[in-house]
Amino acid sequence: ARPFEEIPGPKGLPFIGTSLDYSPFGRFPMHTKMSNSTIERHKEYGNIYREKYGTWEMVHLCDPKDFETVFRCEGRYPERPVPASIAKYRRVLKKPQSIAELVGEEWFRVRGSVNKFMMRPKAVAAFTTRQDDVSWDLVDIMKAIVRKSDSNGQVPKFTKTLYRYALESTSIVVLGKRLGCLTINELAADSDAHRMITAINTYIALFGELETSIPLFKYINTPTWKEFEKAANTSTSIAEKMVAEKLAKLRKMEEPPDEADFLANLLSRKDMTFDEAFMLTVDLLNGAIGSTTVLMAQNVLSTMPEYYPEP
């Protein structure tokens, strides 16, 4: 193996690395052109390069074959650096650690508990049927929008539609019910779903700013930190409310819940505490909106040669 120092990449500045490149006046403004940085760095440095963002130094892999190599070599307890912003948020508000913060054996224990349930063929089959219904609703909405005379054959603000799909498809698994996010009309501004999606988008954007800039927020509550905390409070409180409603429903049930009931299964496990099961469910609701939307958008774009040309 070659030394880590030999991995190529942009030099950056002391303490802040290449953070200025992602500022509003940099080459890759975070809110508009951040994804372009990967394309440019790949062209300049090749399939493997490293880059320092503030206090973070990351190695980027651009060849899927290298992904497999990493996953096969990371071992039973992969290294999982804890983002400082998330750690502070949990610490200040005295909330239990999320799976994003756990490392080593504790991470393996919690993740293993979820895998034992989610990887069961019977549970997967039950979720597949439910997800299929949600997916067809998404298709029907897209068709209805495209049929409109003023749509020009496109779905305006498609990303927002994907946000709604992500929350709906996740709730059907972790809460066992539909939230009614997939309608041809916009969600009401005061609805929990709309407020939650808006808050998570704000949270994700500010998370990037906090983690790639000088970490003053660790010592003082900067304006960016205050916005981040407010967004996190909003999304988490709504998710906690949804999970609490599900718990209340479970307690009133006279018959045992279905074997494919996600939350009931987590709560029944002896290797996971009530707080861990509760927070994991909340984190799944919060995290799915950003990750599912990005993955779906990338999957759609990958079929378009103008965006993803053959290498």
Side-chain angles (χ1 to χ4, degrees):
R2 295 167 58 184
F4 179 81
E5 291 72 19
E6 288 187 13
I7 301 176
K11 298 300 181 183
L13 298 172
F15 304 110
I16 65 172
T18 59
S19 296
L20 292 180
D21 281 351
Y22 303 95
S23 69
F25 307 103
R27 295 173 60 194
F28 314 113
M30 185 170 294
H31 298 296
T32 55
K33 296 182 178 180
M34 185 174 182
S35 59
N36 291 358
S37 69
T38 305
I39 298 172
E40 294 301 319
R41 306 294 198 215
H42 176 227
K43 289 179 180 178
E44 187 172 356
Y45 301 108
N47 287 337
I48 302 176
Y49 69 91
R50 62 184 172 122
E51 185 168 3
K52 188 173 183 180
Y53 312 88
T55 57
W56 282 66
E57 187 161 21
M58 298 178 63
V59 175
H60 294 258
L61 305 178
C62 303
D63 187 338
K65 294 179 182 177
D66 292 330
F67 302 171
E68 180 181 357
T69 301
V70 170
F71 286 134
R72 288 188 180 279
C73 296
E74 65 182 1
R76 189 180 183 88
Y77 308 124
E79 292 291 329
R80 293 169 45 81
V82 179
S85 55
I86 295 177
K88 177 179 177 178
Y89 177 73
R90 300 281 185 177
R91 184 179 68 254
V92 169
L93 296 183
K94 298 180 180 179
K95 292 185 176 292
Q97 284 186 312
S98 68
I99 195 169
E101 296 171 87
L102 298 176
V103 295
E105 294 184 15
E106 282 297 288
W107 171 82
F108 184 81
R109 176 181 59 80
V110 175
R111 182 60 186 264
S113 295
V114 179
N115 284 351
K116 289 173 185 175
F117 170 63
M118 296 295 288
M119 297 299 136
R120 289 170 54 195
K122 189 173 182 178
V124 172
F127 295 146
T128 300
T129 302
R130 300 171 191 176
Q131 292 289 350
D132 192 52
D133 292 338
V134 179
S135 298
W136 277 113
D137 283 352
L138 173 64
V139 172
D140 290 340
I141 288 174
M142 292 167 60
K143 288 180 178 179
I145 294 174
V146 169
R147 289 194 194 103
K148 286 186 174 181
S149 58
D150 59 347
S151 73
N152 196 28
Q154 299 181 1
V155 180
K157 301 178 181 177
F158 184 51
T159 303
K160 289 188 175 182
T161 303
L162 290 182
Y163 289 142
R164 291 156 60 183
Y165 164 79
L167 182 56
E168 189 80 359
S169 62
T170 305
S171 68
I172 199 68
V173 174
V174 301
L175 300 177
K177 70 174 185 177
R178 299 282 297 265
L179 297 180
C181 299
L182 289 177
T183 61
I184 193 168
N185 299 316
E186 293 285 341
L187 295 173
D190 60 349
S191 67
D192 282 345
H194 177 82
R195 292 173 56 233
M196 187 173 182
I197 291 170
T198 301
I200 289 174
N201 284 327
T202 301
Y203 171 95
I204 292 172
L206 296 175
F207 169 81
E209 290 184 21
L210 291 171
E211 294 296 334
T212 59
S213 59
I214 299 174
L216 295 176
F217 71 90
K218 289 184 178 180
Y219 313 104
I220 60 173
N221 292 336
T222 62
T224 303
W225 166 260
K226 291 178 181 178
E227 289 184 55
F228 173 84
E229 185 179 39
K230 180 180 178 181
N233 286 343
T234 299
S235 63
T236 300
S237 63
I238 294 172
E240 287 177 345
K241 172 187 170 186
M242 293 177 177
V243 177
E245 290 173 351
K246 171 66 176 179
L247 283 172
K249 183 177 179 181
L250 287 173
R251 293 190 180 107
K252 292 180 181 178
M253 293 178 65
E254 296 181 0
E255 298 292 328
D258 189 277
E259 288 184 17
D261 190 296
F262 179 83
L263 185 56
N265 190 282
L266 285 188
L267 292 172
S268 69
R269 301 199 63 83
K270 296 181 179 180
D271 54 358
M272 182 179 291
T273 67
F274 174 86
D275 284 343
E276 287 172 340
F278 188 91
M279 286 309 304
L280 180 60
T281 309
V282 169
D283 288 339
L284 283 171
L285 286 168
N286 280 332
I289 293 175
S291 58
T292 303
T293 302
V294 170
L295 289 173
M296 285 195 67
Q298 288 178 339
N299 184 57
V300 171
L301 290 173
S302 69
T303 64
M304 302 178 181
E306 61 269 36
Y307 295 105
Y308 280 85
E310 289 292 327

